[in-house]
Amino acid sequence: MSVFGMIVVALPLAPDWHGQEAFATVFNFVPRMVVASLIAYWAGEFVNALVMAHTKMNTHGRHLWMRTILSTAARQSVDSILVMLIAYRGTLSWDLIFTLIYSGYLGKVAYGVIATPVSYFVVNAVRRCRSARRCRNL
């Protein structure tokens, strides 16, 4: 999509088109956002897996709620910082970037805390399915 956006921006304009500057502003930013999102996702998932594994070992497999919340908090800190710095550095003020990092982080962690009961539901459903031997691939 980002490649097509750049191609469309580079094509000759229609004679009646007067919104090229706004159009180019949006579509020229897409590749930067894609790269920022991919880097932040990969780094965040790595941190998430490390924290989840480490806390599982330290809690001896108990306290799923603590593992999910801690791993979410760690992952989202890495994700929020990287995506905002890579995507917006040089285009927004540092104050605004830090506000975006902070507010995005709080919203994502709050969602993770609220979604913790869903994690328990899924884990318990998989355990029941496995114990009843109805789920061969789980």
Side-chain angles (χ1 to χ4, degrees), residues 43-106:
E45 283 301 309
F46 180 74
V47 168
N48 183 67
L50 283 177
V51 172
M52 185 66 87
H54 183 74
T55 54
K56 185 173 185 174
M57 289 175 56
N58 286 339
T59 61
H60 306 289
R62 297 184 307 267
H63 309 298
L64 175 64
W65 63 271
M66 182 172 40
R67 293 195 314 265
T68 59
I69 292 171
L70 285 176
S71 66
T72 297
R75 181 209 192 287
Q76 293 307 336
S77 66
V78 170
D79 182 90
S80 297
I81 290 168
L82 285 177
V83 79
M84 293 302 169
L85 288 179
I86 295 169
Y88 296 112
R89 185 171 167 234
T91 63
L92 299 176
S93 71
W94 285 109
D95 288 341
L96 183 53
I97 290 173
F98 290 132
T99 300
L100 290 170
I101 291 169
Y102 179 72
S103 61
Y105 174 76
L106 288 180

Side-chain angles (χ1 to χ4, degrees), residues 6-7 29-30 46 63 66 77 107 126 128:
M6 292 182 339
I7 290 170
F29 186 71
V30 171
F46 180 74
H63 309 298
M66 182 172 40
S77 66
V126 169
R128 282 191 304 274

